[in-house]
Amino acid sequence: GQQVMQIPQYQHVQEGEDFTTYCNSSTTLSNIQWYKQRPGGHPVFLIQLVKSGEVKKQKRLTFQFGEAKKNSSLHITATQTTDVGTYFCAGPLGSSNTGKLIFGQGTTLQVKP
Amino acid sequence: NAGVTQTPKFRVLKTGQSMTLLCAQDMNHEYMYWYRQDPGMGLRLIHYSVGEGTTAKGEVPDGYNVSRLKKQNFLLGLESAAPSQTSVYFCASRWTGLTGELFFGEGSRLTVL
């Protein structure tokens, strides 16, 4: 069946270091979304990428969508303790336009001050 | 403007008991979803609804039932709870466009003993 895989599952960094999480889909995606979940919280939407090769930036966060629209990455420059949480990528589940998303397993980021 | 509200936030059940989780949204969204979150497995779609009176199965529907009698409410029922249903349950909603973010509730933590 359709799968979305994320690596790594966990990442511990020193504050100020960079961080990257990678997302790979078994199928071509029409778009990909990224969410952040703080410890004990709920997922919160960060961004959506739609175009092949698209790159978007949000302050220290850089999101990329692969040319084949099967992979994506999130890069955080100079991490801060406020970046702690789990980052999920998600793509449309199936082919119908019902808004269903399939999520990766997530990458949990720990930042040591 | 409350967004997506889930009740209850916490519940402990014994095996075989039944219960209902309520999700209410005040954003007039057509699409609503129930996900479960388990460690290392990301979020998995249980059931979803594309409008009042309609429901459909997601990735892991067994053991759950849903109803969408009113547009703003989406109920998730467990008829005979099992320990495997111990999880954190998230409700989400979104509008009907081709793409768009999911708005999540704060989650309901269910423990089945």
Side-chain angles (χ1 to χ4, degrees):
Chain A
Q2 184 182 3
Q3 290 185 321
V4 174
M5 307 294 290
Q6 268 184 269
I7 54 170
Q9 189 172 0
Y10 299 98
Q11 186 83 57
H12 297 250
V13 300
Q14 199 73 36
E15 190 172 19
E17 291 181 339
D18 291 357
F19 159 78
T20 304
T21 173
Y22 300 91
C23 177
N24 291 288
S25 170
S26 60
T27 61
T28 301
L29 301 172
S30 59
N31 66 85
I32 195 159
Q33 299 181 11
W34 285 89
Y35 290 80
K36 177 182 179 180
Q37 183 178 24
R38 294 182 187 276
H42 60 280
V44 175
F45 176 81
L46 292 176
I47 207 162
Q48 178 174 273
L49 304 171
V50 178
K51 298 176 183 177
S52 169
E54 189 170 13
V55 178
K56 285 189 176 180
K57 291 189 176 183
Q58 288 181 348
K59 297 183 180 177
R60 295 177 295 104
L61 277 62
T62 301
F63 303 85
Q64 290 189 311
F65 199 10
E67 293 290 341
K69 302 184 80 172
K70 294 184 71 174
N71 57 75
S72 181
S73 64
L74 159 58
H75 179 81
I76 302 179
T77 303
T79 54
Q80 300 176 357
T81 54
T82 53
D83 296 325
V84 164
T86 300
Y87 294 84
F88 293 98
C89 62
L93 174 61
S95 56
S96 61
N97 179 31
T98 54
K100 308 189 304 282
L101 294 181
I102 180 170
F103 283 79
Q105 308 98 309
T107 296
T108 299
L109 173 64
Q110 300 272 21
V111 179
K112 302 173 201 173
Chain B
N1 191 345
V4 179
T5 304
Q6 293 180 228
T7 52
K9 299 276 191 296
F10 302 93
R11 186 72 188 270
V12 178
L13 287 178
K14 293 182 180 178
T15 297
Q17 287 186 319
S18 63
M19 75 157 296
T20 301
L21 297 177
L22 170 63
C23 175
Q25 53 94 5
D26 61 3
M27 296 173 282
N28 203 34
H29 286 165
E30 287 290 340
Y31 296 169
M32 296 187 74
Y33 313 86
W34 276 108
Y35 283 89
R36 61 177 287 174
Q37 183 175 32
D38 302 292
M41 301 190 73
L43 294 111
R44 292 180 293 168
L45 181 65
I46 305 171
H47 285 280
Y48 67 99
S49 168
V50 298
E52 182 178 310
T54 74
T55 62
K57 295 179 180 180
E59 300 172 90
V60 289
D62 293 343
Y64 304 95
N65 56 76
V66 287
S67 64
R68 184 102 180 266
L69 299 179
K70 293 183 179 181
K71 183 178 182 178
Q72 64 268 33
N73 296 337
F74 194 27
L75 279 64
L76 178 70
L78 287 71
E79 290 187 346
S80 180
S84 60
Q85 294 177 305
T86 293
S87 188
V88 181
Y89 292 86
F90 286 101
C91 176
S93 69
R94 59 156 278 191
W95 72 302
T96 57
L98 288 176
T99 61
E101 66 183 278
L102 295 186
F103 292 83
F104 283 87
E106 295 185 346
S108 298
R109 182 175 294 276
L110 174 64
T111 301
V112 183
L113 302 175

